[in-house]
Amino acid sequence: MTTLLRIDSSARTQGSVTRDLTARIAKAHDGAQVIHRDLAETPVPQITENWVTANFTPADDRTDAQVEILALSDDLLAELEAADTIVIGLPVYNFAPPAALKAWVDNVARVGRSFRYTAEGPEGLLTGKRAILAMASGGTAEGSEIDFASTYMRHILGFIGITDVTVVAADQMALDADASLEKASKQIESLQAAA
């Protein structure tokens, strides 16, 4: 059985386009075990100086307090490690990912866990996985020079080893919501056909 990690990051719990898209994409993966992480219901805190200190303390030398500080980060990483497919709701807030999603990224981009440094440069450790970004925006076109959301997420996923990334985009909703949603629906149908 495959495992799908569904991450919702929209501040809106009702009427969210990205939440609708992530639900539909998860449903298209019929038979997969779904882990759902809702960053609005259970926010991931911003990293702190104590978090950074704990993270850079060798695991065997961490105090009980440091282990506790990293416990949520460890849980988030365990979810990523268990998943074959990661579906991320990506609403575009001011041309970029929401702060809730950035906090999640900061907690999972950990040297020695999701990436490592080598003589040739950084190497992602979470290989062999697929990611699907369910993007929604008011006016930002996916992949455009002002899209710092999907381009950032593609980069960070690649950095931790996830290079198979597909974007389902209901972008530029303020210009033509019906056409944007129809385009996203067709992209989801293509995902189903490929599965």
Side-chain angles (χ1 to χ4, degrees):
M1 173 183 291
T2 61
T3 301
L4 181 144
L5 172 59
R6 174 186 168 192
I7 301 168
D8 283 312
S9 65
S10 175
R12 298 172 63 194
T13 57
Q14 301 297 316
S16 164
V17 172
T18 59
R19 286 176 184 277
D20 177 61
L21 295 176
T22 60
R24 290 169 54 199
I25 294 166
K27 187 176 179 183
H29 288 75
D30 188 36
Q33 174 189 349
V34 177
I35 302 167
H36 187 205
R37 173 66 64 175
D38 190 325
L39 302 178
E41 282 186 10
T42 309
V44 174
Q46 301 291 324
I47 62 172
T48 63
E49 182 176 4
N50 288 338
W51 187 99
V52 172
T53 300
N55 184 48
F56 286 102
T57 298
D60 292 341
D61 296 336
R62 288 180 188 142
T63 66
D64 290 344
Q66 289 176 324
V67 169
E68 182 60 30
I69 286 169
L70 294 177
L72 176 59
S73 175
D74 289 338
D75 289 346
L76 298 175
L77 279 162
E79 290 173 353
L80 261 180
E81 290 163 349
D84 302 292
T85 301
I86 300 99
V87 178
I88 302 173
L90 180 61
V92 179
Y93 291 176
N94 302 311
F95 310 104
L101 187 54
K102 178 62 167 66
W104 177 85
V105 166
D106 288 343
N107 273 269
V108 299
R110 282 177 55 190
V111 68
R113 284 291 304 269
S114 56
F115 72 96
R116 67 180 171 200
Y117 292 111
T118 71
E120 291 77 40
E123 176 187 9
L125 301 176
L126 300 178
T127 59
K129 300 177 185 300
R130 178 179 190 204
I132 303 168
L133 302 175
M135 175 184 171
S137 73
T140 302
E142 185 258 325
S144 70
E145 64 182 15
I146 61 169
D147 171 17
F148 303 107
S150 73
T151 53
Y152 170 76
M153 289 305 299
R154 280 182 182 274
H155 176 79
I156 200 69
L157 289 167
F159 180 75
I160 62 175
I162 304 169
T163 57
D164 182 358
V165 181
T166 301
V167 179
V168 171
D171 55 348
Q172 298 186 300
M173 294 277 295
L175 303 179
D176 189 340
D178 291 339
S180 294
L181 292 171
E182 179 62 25
K183 177 181 75 167
S185 292
K186 288 181 179 175
Q187 291 169 324
I188 292 171
E189 287 171 14
S190 295
L191 292 173
Q192 283 179 294

